[in-house]
């Protein structure tokens, strides 16, 4: 009986150690940890939606559209997207930043992370962006690739229409320790 209790206790400890990877985030969410803390991210399951719909869908998960407040998170997320997406299939994902002023290639304007209530302090724009083409006041992480070498690709920031366009979305929430 004593050996059985020891075996059961050992099994519980081993199972707990195996489960630690998913402990901080709900199932289906990715954990990102760095010196500023930890966050959970969820990629949309395939649908493209307007920015307003992305806000609603993320809120349903008690989350918000992802806000990448420093380059490390941006590069981590780009790396994850490159690992799990195929070239040209999921081309763009909503990010949380918005602007309400005039902006363009020579004047990026003032962008804000609404959930954090902070001004965006760094940028990862694609070449020629932002261009404010037809009133683009929202932000997407967009795939750029060489059509002759589709594996040579990366994701860069692009300003995008909030109301008239659809993109996949990335939700973010705090992790639970």
């Amino acid at each position: 009986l004593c050996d059985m209790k020891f075996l059961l206790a050992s099994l519980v400890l081993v199972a707990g150690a195996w489960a630690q990877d998913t402990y901080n985030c709900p199932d289906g969410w990715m954990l990102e940890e760095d010196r500023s803390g930890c966050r959970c991210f969820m990629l949309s399951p395939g649908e493209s939606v307007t920015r307003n719909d992305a806000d609603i869908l993320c809120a349903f998960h008690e989350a918000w559209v992802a806000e990448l407040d420093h380059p490390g998170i941006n590069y981590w997320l780009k790396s994850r997207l490159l690992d799990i997406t195929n070239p040209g299939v999921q081309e763009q994902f909503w990010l949380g930043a918005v602007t309400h002023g005039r902006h363009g290639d020579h004047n990026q304007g003032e962008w804000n992370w609404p959930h954090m209530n902070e001004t965006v302090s760094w940028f990862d724009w694609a070449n020629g962006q932002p261009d404010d083409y037809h009133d683009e006041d929202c932000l997407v992480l967009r795939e750029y690739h060489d059509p002759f070498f589709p594996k040579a690709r990366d994701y860069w920031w692009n300003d995008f229409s909030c109301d008239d366009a659809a993109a996949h979305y990335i939700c973010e929430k705090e992790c639970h320790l």
Side-chain angles (χ1 to χ4, degrees):
L1 184 63
C2 189
D3 287 337
M4 186 63 110
K5 287 181 181 180
F6 177 75
L7 181 62
L8 183 61
S10 298
L11 188 59
V12 167
L13 287 173
V14 169
W18 284 340
Q20 282 184 340
D21 287 344
T22 59
Y23 175 73
N24 291 320
C25 294
D27 288 342
W29 290 66
M30 299 178 292
L31 175 66
E32 186 277 334
E33 292 180 282
D34 59 30
R35 69 185 185 291
S36 66
C38 64
R39 299 170 175 90
C40 301
F41 291 93
M42 181 191 73
L43 302 179
S44 63
E47 70 243 316
S48 292
V49 299
T50 65
R51 172 54 200 272
N52 189 48
D53 288 342
D55 286 332
I56 292 167
L57 289 164
C58 289
F60 175 78
H61 293 285
E62 299 177 346
W64 55 91
V65 177
E67 298 185 355
L68 312 179
D69 60 337
H70 64 81
I73 296 171
N74 185 63
Y75 296 124
W76 174 85
L77 187 57
K78 287 168 54 163
S79 171
R80 297 294 303 197
L81 288 173
L82 290 169
D83 286 344
I84 62 178
T85 61
N86 293 317
V89 176
Q90 291 179 301
E91 293 184 339
Q92 49 213 12
F93 293 85
W94 290 116
L95 294 179
V98 294
T99 188
H100 299 291
R102 184 179 160 99
H103 62 282
D105 192 18
H106 300 292
N107 172 22
Q108 62 192 11
E110 183 173 308
W111 290 78
N112 297 293
W113 299 119
H115 178 78
M116 290 188 286
N117 195 26
E118 292 180 7
T119 300
V120 177
S121 60
W122 67 278
F123 297 92
D124 192 24
W125 296 114
N127 287 336
Q129 297 299 325
D131 61 1
D132 199 18
Y133 182 74
H134 295 289
D135 196 31
E136 297 177 319
D137 290 341
C138 286
L139 182 65
V140 293
L141 196 54
R142 183 173 184 165
E143 176 193 327
Y144 289 86
H145 67 270
D146 183 329
F148 298 107
F149 303 100
K151 296 267 186 206
R153 66 190 182 116
D154 204 349
Y155 283 89
W156 301 93
W157 291 13
N158 183 38
D159 57 338
F160 207 56
S161 174
C162 302
D163 303 317
D164 301 329
H168 301 280
Y169 56 93
I170 303 169
C171 297
E172 176 184 354
K173 67 184 342 183
E174 295 175 4
C175 65
H176 300 287
L177 299 175

